[in-house]
Amino acid sequence: MKRGLILAVVSAGPSSLPVSSTLSQDFGFWRALTTEEEKARIGDASANSIDPTMIEADFDGDGKKDKALIAIRKIDGARGLIAVLNGRVHVISPDGMEPSDGLGLAKRGPWDTICGNAFREFHDCTHYPSRVMLKNPGILWIGNGRTSLHFWDRKKKQFDTVLMVD
């Protein structure tokens, strides 16, 4: 395996966009997967054996349930990861998601990053955290042998990301 440089904790890209509370499936420039897209994603597998495309938890610690989902960008059909917190869409990862990718819920507590587990020998872990402590639940993006953890940074008021498996 090729040794590569891991980027430092990446802050989420674009800022957030307002969401209309009357249009529960309208996420600005994004939309939820249709029933047909979800059926195609799951295929013949049991729905319980596939990672979901939407999860809910209090990601920002304000006591209110938030939503994270794999969504479709309306202008080009690209799949990305978004979260809806307090009626605002936060674009966490604007593209690069595959139809088979799914989400998992990361519970509060310590999480070893790629530099804190057996994969550290394959990466340059200089200036990269070996562990993060989640004060609130986080979002695991699971896809094609790669898992990343997205968690709310209260000071920055945006999501940060660490690589868990590469």
Side-chain angles (χ1 to χ4, degrees), residues 9-29:
V9 176
V10 180
S11 295
S15 61
S16 52
L17 302 167
V19 173
S20 169
S21 60
T22 59
L23 299 172
S24 62
Q25 295 300 305
D26 182 16
F27 304 116
F29 295 112

Side-chain angles (χ1 to χ4, degrees), residues 44-120:
D44 293 334
S46 162
N48 294 336
S49 68
I50 304 293
D51 293 314
T53 56
M54 185 185 76
I55 57 175
E56 292 182 324
D58 182 10
F59 299 120
D60 60 358
D62 67 355
K64 299 175 188 170
K65 191 176 282 191
D66 305 308
K67 184 184 298 191
L69 64 146
I70 296 174
I72 307 290
R73 189 169 41 219
K74 293 176 183 177
I75 59 170
D76 61 5
R79 290 176 189 238
L81 175 58
I82 66 171
V84 181
L85 285 71
N86 293 313
R88 296 186 67 79
V89 173
H90 296 263
V91 179
I92 299 172
S93 181
D95 51 28
M97 300 196 94
E98 299 294 327
S100 60
D101 293 354
L103 302 177
L105 185 63
K107 294 182 180 182
R108 293 184 302 182
W111 285 79
D112 289 339
T113 71
I114 198 158
C115 288
N117 63 33
F119 297 106
R120 68 181 163 272

